[in-house]
Amino acid sequence: MTSLPQQAEEARDRLDVTALRHPDSIKWTLYPPDVIPMWVADMDYPVAPPIVAALQERLTRGLGYHQLRGDPELLPLLRAHLATQGLDDLPEDGIALLPGVVPGLYAAVHALTTPGEPVVTMVPIYHPFHLAITDLGRRVAGVPLREGEGGYEVNWAAMDAAARGSRLLMLCHPHNPTGRVWSAGELEKLRDLAIARDLFVVSDELHADLRFTGQAFEAFAADPRVRSRTITLTGPCKAYNTAGLGIGAMVGHNAALIKRVKSAAGGLMGHEGALSVTMWRAALRDGGPWLKDTLAYLQANRDFMMDYLQTNQPWVRAHMPEATYLAWLDLRDHPRAGDIQQFLLDEAKIAIHDGPVFAPEAQKTQYQGFIRVNFATSRAILTEALDRMSAALDAAR
Ligand SMILES: Cc1ncc(COP(=O)(O)O)c(C=O)c1O
């Protein structure tokens, strides 16, 4: 008899492409059927069995309003989980559930800044950061990360200059798209900056549970020095592959700040769905073993991909993601860097996210030639995608 972890690994190894290419999936249907989709951040793996069981059980009952002041079982589970990341002692009103993390980004910009003001972010960054700022009529003070020996780093002088005129820093920790987990030293400097420049901080920590082995993690607001000025955003959808069931939370030690942000969005925010609450509860309560196995699979995929590139396309500039299942690759040395997304779509039949997506309007051209690749698929599909990409890149030299 095969053990449970083995069965889970087999499920990840033997993905059924026909089943994945269902109209339910934007990842698998946006591009023609001969294209391997490696763009949007969904994993190709089936949902954790305990989550499926909990959802099935939930459907044996009605689907009326659940307890809107916060689910009495979810909240303690979430508190205990956040405490392991340094967010202990959250006050009674220190958690507000949201219909997703992105609404939290928008609500924070809306509540904590006024139109025309600059808001500080790093570039590149998950694009809704920039969209939240510009959609609401604020300006992006986008500070480009710089490439160091070991990976992407913060440009401290530029961060400080951007922070001078601003009231809000939007942080992504771990960072999408580079996969950086900001180190203790970097977090300390970011905290010093937030205090020195008197900034509110919104720290999107949605990818925190997708860390590879050996990678320590501390929430930005783990340090009491910054707790009163920080809102942390979290949710289950990246770690548990449940993005279609939107839910998230805005948490912090300053309950008045949470209330200010939540009420600024008012009725526009909507409430979290009952099935999403059930899903998150099951993930936190029983999803740990599934997540551990998934991370082991992802880590092996990451290592395989990095080795593959090093061997077959050594000119590609790439750094090991420390978290997330996303790799940020610099292909600017290739003759087709100028239209790399379309080139890979047409010639390699793989769909990746184009670098400029992760930059605000004024900085997009600097990211032409970068791509973000989602490696959360089976080893066989990943190998096929890398073979296609490598052959297309070689043929166009
Ligand atoms: C950093 C980050 N924040 C937020 C989201 C989306 O969160 P939600 O679907 O809960 O709005 C993503 C999705 O990939 C993400 O990478």
Side-chain angles (χ1 to χ4, degrees):
M1 226 172 71
T2 48
S3 68
L4 277 178
Q6 229 176 318
Q7 281 173 13
E9 172 140 355
E10 280 170 18
R12 290 181 197 92
D13 259 339
R14 291 211 217 105
L15 295 175
D16 175 354
V17 171
T18 314
L20 286 168
R21 199 174 286 117
H22 188 278
D24 284 345
S25 167
I26 188 172
K27 180 181 182 182
W28 280 86
T29 53
L30 189 69
Y31 295 99
D34 56 347
V35 169
I36 300 179
M38 311 183 87
W39 59 290
V40 70
D42 273 336
M43 299 194 259
D44 288 339
Y45 316 133
V47 176
I51 294 181
V52 175
L55 288 170
Q56 281 166 339
E57 189 280 333
R58 179 68 183 82
L59 287 173
T60 62
R61 287 173 278 118
L63 283 172
Y65 289 115
H66 61 97
Q67 299 195 36
L68 292 177
R69 288 183 59 87
D71 181 79
E73 205 186 322
L74 173 58
L75 292 185
L77 286 165
L78 186 54
R79 269 173 199 281
H81 183 64
L82 292 168
T84 65
Q85 300 175 350
L87 298 178
D88 47 359
D89 296 331
L90 286 166
E92 176 76 21
D93 294 326
I95 300 184
L97 293 185
L98 304 170
V101 166
V102 169
L105 294 173
Y106 274 75
V109 171
H110 180 53
L112 303 176
T113 62
T114 49
E117 263 186 57
V119 177
V120 185
T121 66
M122 296 169 186
V123 188
I125 212 159
Y126 176 60
H127 43 299
F129 277 58
H130 298 140
L131 295 176
I133 298 168
T134 54
D135 283 351
L136 294 168
R138 279 69 167 168
R139 288 182 291 125
V140 180
V143 181
L145 290 170
R146 57 181 179 207
E147 194 183 2
E149 287 280 297
Y152 290 94
E153 297 171 348
V154 181
N155 180 338
W156 295 106
M159 268 309 258
D160 189 60
R164 275 167 196 262
S166 177
R167 273 197 289 180
L168 176 62
L169 165 67
M170 296 175 81
L171 186 66
C172 194
H173 173 49
H175 183 257
N176 174 1
T178 65
R180 278 297 321 277
V181 176
W182 305 114
S183 69
E186 287 167 318
L187 288 174
E188 226 22 45
K189 280 180 139 176
L190 286 166
R191 291 170 185 140
D192 289 345
L193 179 88
I195 293 165
R197 300 291 166 219
D198 196 16
L199 303 174
F200 289 116
V201 180
V202 176
S203 186
D204 176 338
E205 302 187 0
L206 183 58
H207 291 264
D209 293 330
L210 284 171
R211 292 175 333 267
F212 297 116
T213 47
Q215 194 59 51
F217 180 82
E218 190 181 72
F220 176 81
D223 184 338
R225 292 190 304 142
V226 291
R227 284 183 166 176
S228 63
R229 60 178 72 244
T230 305
I231 280 185
T232 304
L233 299 174
T234 187
C237 74
K238 294 298 114 177
Y240 292 97
N241 202 26
T242 55
L245 279 180
I247 190 166
M250 169 158 63
V251 309
H253 292 82
N254 181 347
L257 189 62
I258 299 284
K259 189 166 177 220
R260 176 170 162 192
V261 173
K262 184 94 200 230
S263 9
L268 289 175
M269 183 79 91
H271 63 78
E272 64 285 354
L275 290 176
S276 312
V277 171
T278 299
M279 172 272 290
W280 201 355
R281 225 160 42 191
L284 289 171
R285 198 181 47 213
D286 305 316
W290 180 92
L291 180 59
K292 189 162 167 266
D293 293 345
T294 299
L295 276 167
Y297 196 92
L298 288 173
Q299 182 161 346
N301 267 7
R302 174 197 70 166
D303 295 349
F304 170 77
M305 179 171 172
M306 291 296 154
D307 270 2
Y308 186 104
L309 291 172
Q310 185 64 39
T311 308
N312 297 288
Q313 303 291 334
W315 56 272
V316 172
R317 301 190 65 80
H319 298 281
M320 279 279 182
E322 298 159 324
T324 80
Y325 43 79
L326 309 166
W328 181 245
L329 307 180
D330 179 352
L331 273 64
R332 284 177 299 169
D333 285 345
H334 194 270
R336 295 298 298 268
D339 67 341
I340 196 73
Q341 197 271 346
Q342 195 62 46
F343 167 74
L344 291 174
L345 188 60
D346 294 342
E347 304 300 327
K349 304 285 179 202
I350 64 167
I352 46 75
H353 251 324
D354 206 12
V357 165
F358 302 93
E361 215 46 53
Q363 288 159 284
K364 283 198 186 297
T365 52
Q366 293 167 42
Y367 294 90
Q368 186 59 50
F370 286 85
I371 61 172
R372 191 192 77 172
V373 181
N374 174 346
F375 55 83
T377 189
S378 69
R379 178 64 61 82
I381 294 176
L382 180 61
T383 307
E384 166 77 20
L386 289 171
D387 284 347
R388 289 191 196 181
M389 176 170 147
S390 193
L393 289 170
D394 282 344
R397 278 235 170 252

